[in-house]
Amino acid sequence: MSSQTQSSPAHDAKPALPKRAQIVLSGTKPTGENLHLGNYFGALRQFVDLQDQHDTALYFIADYHSMTSLRNGAERRRNTLNVALDYLAAGLDPERAILFRQSDLPEVTELTWILTSVTPMGMLERAHAYKAAQDKGEDVDHGLFTYPVLMAADILLYGSHLVPVGRDQKQHIEMARDMAHRFNRLYECEALTLPEPYILEETATVPGTDGRKMSKSYGNTIAMFAAKNAVKKAVMGIVTDSTPVEAPKDVQQAVFEIWSLFATPEEREAMFARARAGGLGYGDVKKDLLARLMDYFEPMRARRAALEARPQEIEAVLRAGVVRARQLAMPVLEACREAAGLGPVRG
Ligand code: AMP
């Protein structure tokens, strides 16, 4: 089995972009040591693709958002640097995309308040993350409950048209649209632009090693840049059914879905035919997956290692990014303030 390919099915089936899309924006929470395959195939790879296709692309590190689950400042700083490294290693280019840290533009919290005042409680009570936490009987703090409003502010503050994300974020973008619409209607203005999600069907929900959605909170991730031993352990630990080697296999399993991320459509078809015919061992699929995965990320790993030695450069990239982000944000915030009758009288 070859481990050379860099393309995958998702590359060949992208949804048409809305014509008027000019500003692309997305973010990632710095809640772990480094990003996983779900983050990469569900979102980050699209960030890289889209940085060249639009007038402006903004990608931020959502450190305010991470506060609902991470209560260690030193760890947040480390993770924030790591997400910046992952962004750059994956191919985001500060010349072509604006990379910044969410908390460097605290004005986003002002827009959060403005939006909070037009957001019905019922809308927030329907949010998946809040409902899931409640179902688990967790103590829900106000940050988690209000999370969708901060996310709406993140998107709306820059007049974003298109938001590349995994499927788990679709509901949040719908909520951002609702809030923008309500604000514009209540204050009879057009201060806020309604964003569209950009979700690739094939990688909308990347499964984790246990078959559930890959997520740090489930402990089922395969990290992009972990040490080879750790990646190997995670890959070899992907849960499979107990079908014997010679028997036909069900291809609707995480091991095949994850393997497919690193295969062309033709390779996928051939692999699935072999699986259905019987005689294919899961161990062989996992070994091939590991080889492909290591090959795929090798150039990015090398880039990351080089960048890691120069953290001051990363900081400079983020500081330059927020200057450009602020230029987009301030007119939108001013338009909201003006419509809502906030601040000094103009003119
Ligand atoms: P987060 O870690 O929640 O900040 O996620 C960053 C981005 O990765 C968001 O756009 C998510 O939708 C996406 N993402 C996270 N996990 C997955 C997954 N298992 N499959 C697809 N996309 C994902």
Side-chain angles (χ1 to χ4, degrees):
M1 284 186 264
S2 150
S3 59
Q4 297 303 312
T5 180
Q6 292 271 321
S7 73
S8 78
H11 271 302
D12 303 321
K14 292 178 181 160
L17 296 171
K19 282 211 172 47
R20 65 174 183 71
Q22 292 147 354
I23 298 183
V24 176
L25 169 135
S26 199
T28 308
K29 270 185 304 193
T31 41
E33 254 175 57
N34 68 52
L35 301 184
H36 55 71
L37 300 189
N39 297 133
Y40 180 72
F41 288 100
L44 182 49
R45 192 175 57 174
Q46 283 69 266
F47 297 2
V48 177
D49 284 351
L50 292 173
Q51 71 181 339
D52 289 323
Q53 296 179 24
H54 296 279
D55 294 347
T56 309
L58 299 110
Y59 301 117
F60 65 96
I61 303 159
D63 54 351
Y64 279 145
H65 277 292
S66 69
M67 295 182 77
T68 60
S69 58
L70 177 65
R71 267 63 187 246
N72 179 314
E75 209 177 320
R76 191 177 343 278
R77 280 207 191 284
R78 254 195 327 274
N79 291 347
T80 299
L81 174 66
N82 278 325
V83 175
L85 282 169
D86 290 347
Y87 273 2
L88 292 164
L92 288 182
D93 173 2
E95 298 292 317
R96 290 179 284 165
I98 300 173
L99 309 181
F100 68 105
R101 179 170 38 215
Q102 185 186 27
S103 63
D104 283 347
L105 226 158
E107 288 86 346
V108 74
T109 60
E110 181 180 348
L111 185 57
T112 302
W113 173 252
I114 291 173
L115 294 174
T116 299
S117 66
V118 298
T119 305
M121 288 287 286
M123 186 198 287
L124 298 179
E125 279 161 359
R126 285 192 294 277
H128 297 319
Y130 168 67
K131 282 194 352 196
Q134 265 210 326
D135 289 349
K136 280 196 257 166
E138 286 174 10
D139 260 348
V140 177
D141 60 33
H142 187 245
L144 181 70
F145 185 67
T146 321
Y147 191 103
V149 192
L150 176 57
M151 184 161 160
D154 284 326
I155 297 169
L156 302 175
L157 185 57
Y158 309 94
S160 316
H161 298 107
L162 198 66
V163 188
V165 282
R167 182 169 292 130
D168 57 350
Q169 296 299 326
K170 187 166 185 257
Q171 186 196 35
H172 287 144
I173 295 167
E174 283 159 6
M175 288 181 170
R177 287 176 64 87
D178 274 6
M179 289 176 218
H181 178 72
R182 284 175 70 87
F183 181 87
N184 287 350
R185 183 168 52 78
L186 289 168
Y187 288 104
E188 297 178 3
C189 67
E190 292 182 358
L192 297 174
T193 302
L194 271 57
E196 307 271 352
Y198 180 80
I199 299 172
L200 289 190
E201 199 46 45
E202 290 72 10
T203 52
T205 307
V206 173
T209 54
D210 60 358
R212 293 184 291 171
K213 187 193 95 163
M214 189 176 287
S215 166
K216 277 164 281 196
S217 55
Y218 293 151
N220 64 359
T221 61
I222 303 174
M224 288 165 70
F225 300 127
K228 184 168 179 188
N229 272 350
V231 177
K232 183 173 176 188
K233 192 163 169 239
V235 168
M236 293 304 165
I238 297 173
V239 175
T240 52
D241 63 21
S242 50
T243 322
V245 172
E246 55 293 350
K249 305 286 180 309
D250 172 10
V251 294
Q252 307 271 335
Q253 294 188 70
V255 68
F256 291 112
E257 282 187 54
I258 299 172
W259 181 90
S260 298
L261 297 168
F262 300 95
T264 61
E266 298 73 31
E267 288 172 324
R268 184 170 184 260
E269 222 168 277
M271 168 62 97
F272 283 16
R274 283 184 59 196
R276 289 192 185 103
L280 178 69
Y282 290 126
D284 289 340
V285 182
K286 289 179 182 178
K287 269 190 222 141
D288 188 57
L289 164 59
L290 180 64
R292 285 170 183 257
L293 189 157
M294 294 310 290
D295 267 10
Y296 187 97
F297 288 119
E298 185 44 42
M300 299 184 209
R301 234 173 226 278
R303 228 171 9 236
R304 196 180 194 282
L307 286 163
E308 215 169 351
R310 311 193 300 267
Q312 11 17 297
E313 281 181 35
I314 311 292
E315 189 55 32
V317 164
L318 298 180
R319 282 173 194 247
V322 80
V323 173
R324 294 164 66 202
R326 181 169 270 113
Q327 284 166 358
L328 290 165
M330 290 322 286
V332 176
L333 190 57
E334 279 309 320
C336 291
R337 296 176 122 244
E338 182 64 20
L342 297 168
V345 177
R346 286 185 176 203

